[in-house]
Amino acid sequence: MAFLFILPTWPVDVWTAAMKKVAPDIDVRVWPDRMGNVTDIEYCAAWLPPPDVVKSLPNLKVIMSLGAGVDAILKDPTLPASIPIVRVNDPDLTGRMTEYVVLHVLMHHRQQRRIDENQKRKIWDSFPTHAAKDLRVGIMGMGVMGMDSAIKLRDIGFPVAGWSRSRKSVAGVESFAGADEFDAFLARTDVLVSLLPATPDTDGIINRATIRKLSRTGPLGGPVIINAGRGRQQVEADIISALDAGELLAATLDVFATEPLQLDSPLWSHPKVTLTPHCAADSDPETICAYVAGNIRRHQRGEKLDNLVDRNRGY
Ligand code: NDP
Ligand code: OXD
């Protein structure tokens, strides 16, 4: 049995070293030039795999995403239909995402960008602040990531609601479910966080109409969005026009339709945009390799794979 890394944009030697450290018995191969005899390869782990690679592995048993999202794997039109896909669900990755979400909610809540600007200009402006209980956070996507962020934000004191396909029951977190409850969820939300997966249903969901439905009565004087889900969810031109029209107060964006973001994108220099390079939750090589090796061993023992993706749902 051999295992293959397909990592066109990541430092593959770091990942092979991590896998050798946590599972020295696994025969690790690397796409494209250290594949050896492809008939040996039974497992692969990928991030942004080029199309056609998976189909060229005749004895592949499981495809593993090295991130939580699987959209880049599913978009390969030649992906064999029968091979199970698993994704990462790991406390290390979830904790990193929660740090990001809490950081950016607090940054907007405490108006840190305004304070930074004042410091640059040596302005002592101790403007009034508001309490966490007055700023309503709404999280789209209440899966592994959204749920953890919701609980931590609730514990800080923010009124938190989540929106997902199915209803959730978490103490102190209001749950909205499905398309019918989307508008009510937006209407009570001052800070909108997206932790949705990229699927045909979520494409373009952060658009001008959505932004216009957000609450305008919050303590910041306008709504804020934070997108750490996927770039395809945001209509970038709509975000810019909403910011320029004053319909949106500010945006934190970690993900973009095209990554890396094009150098001529107006988002880079927009004064109301905080931009991060898809780093909200980085996959730690050793942690994730231990998780991948565990799933391989489970499969070899004939046990159920952890975190199997439902291809019909797309996540
Ligand atoms: P999960 O699969 O655990 O959760 C997905 C959530 O989205 C579920 O609550 C699901 O609802 C909800 N959802 C899906 N489709 C819809 C829809 N059409 N309408 C309403 N709700 C919907 O995923 P994770 O929490 O692990 O990760 C979420 C996403 O975060 C990933 O897919 C990835 O895109 C992104 N991510 C980004 C990273 C970054 O660094 N920026 C790092 C890691 C992940 P239900 O519960 O009812 O099924
Ligand atoms: C992702 C990840 O899915 O990095 O973006 O896990």
Side-chain angles (χ1 to χ4, degrees):
M1 182 284 279
F3 162 84
L4 178 72
F5 275 124
I6 311 171
L7 300 178
T9 61
W10 282 2
V12 75
D13 290 340
V14 173
W15 284 83
T16 50
M19 189 55 117
K20 279 197 189 337
K21 186 165 172 197
V22 301
D25 56 310
I26 292 183
D27 174 2
V28 178
R29 312 278 178 88
V30 175
W31 173 88
D33 48 8
R34 282 179 272 156
M35 297 197 15
N37 182 348
V38 292
T39 60
D40 301 338
I41 298 169
E42 296 184 3
Y43 299 90
C44 74
W47 181 250
L48 308 184
D52 293 342
V53 177
V54 169
K55 112 171 164 197
S56 72
L57 307 171
N59 294 325
L60 193 68
K61 294 186 171 147
V62 182
I63 306 166
M64 302 181 180
S65 168
L66 286 183
V70 290
D71 42 300
I73 292 176
L74 289 175
K75 81 173 185 206
D76 177 355
T78 67
L79 198 69
S82 58
I83 302 183
I85 301 171
V86 296
R87 69 187 197 97
V88 172
N89 164 7
D90 176 83
D92 177 77
L93 192 72
T94 305
R96 291 169 188 236
M97 178 60 84
T98 299
E99 287 171 8
Y100 183 90
V101 172
V102 170
L103 170 72
H104 286 272
V105 169
L106 285 173
M107 183 188 80
H108 294 291
H109 165 59
R110 298 300 300 252
Q111 302 182 61
Q112 187 60 42
R113 297 264 322 233
R114 175 172 170 178
I115 293 170
D116 291 343
E117 208 39 54
N118 285 341
Q119 181 181 348
K120 272 191 225 144
R121 295 158 58 207
K122 300 188 180 168
I123 296 174
W124 187 271
D125 173 22
S126 57
F127 51 85
T129 55
H130 54 270
K133 71 173 177 42
D134 296 326
L135 190 72
R136 293 163 301 171
V137 181
I139 301 183
M140 300 199 286
M142 283 292 282
V144 176
M145 305 271 168
M147 191 71 84
D148 194 61
S149 289
I151 289 168
K152 303 288 171 17
L153 289 166
R154 174 203 68 188
D155 290 349
I156 292 172
F158 294 104
V160 180
W163 180 70
S164 38
R165 290 200 326 166
S166 55
R167 196 166 308 287
K168 310 294 176 201
S169 174
V170 185
V173 177
E174 200 178 353
S175 172
F176 293 83
D180 290 351
E181 297 181 13
F182 190 47
D183 287 3
F185 163 76
L186 296 174
R188 56 71 63 205
T189 292
D190 302 314
V191 177
L192 179 69
V193 178
S194 178
L195 290 173
L196 286 166
T199 70
D201 289 340
T202 65
D203 275 357
I205 193 166
I206 309 174
N207 54 38
R208 195 79 180 259
T210 299
I211 291 168
R212 285 188 173 140
K213 290 175 188 164
L214 289 166
S215 161
R216 246 145 259 290
T217 59
L220 293 172
V224 169
I225 56 168
I226 298 173
N227 185 8
R230 277 291 181 268
R232 276 166 40 188
Q233 285 154 25
Q234 71 210 5
V235 181
E236 290 173 8
D238 283 10
I239 291 177
I240 291 168
S241 53
L243 287 167
D244 291 342
E247 290 172 7
L248 189 61
L249 189 77
T252 288
L253 307 175
D254 182 58
V255 285
F256 302 89
T258 304
E259 295 180 3
L261 182 63
Q262 314 88 296
L263 290 177
D264 60 355
S265 168
L267 291 169
W268 283 107
S269 51
H270 200 290
K272 296 177 179 173
V273 173
T274 300
L275 187 156
T276 55
H278 198 143
C279 62
D282 269 344
S283 298
D284 173 65
E286 273 186 37
T287 312
I288 305 299
C289 284
Y291 169 84
V292 164
N295 235 347
I296 291 175
R297 304 209 197 287
R298 244 185 309 284
H299 189 258
Q300 288 178 318
R301 290 193 298 264
E303 293 169 17
K304 204 169 141 282
L305 287 160
D306 271 349
N307 300 303
L308 201 55
V309 169
D310 177 338
R311 286 210 199 190
N312 292 325
R313 286 189 326 184
Y315 64 97

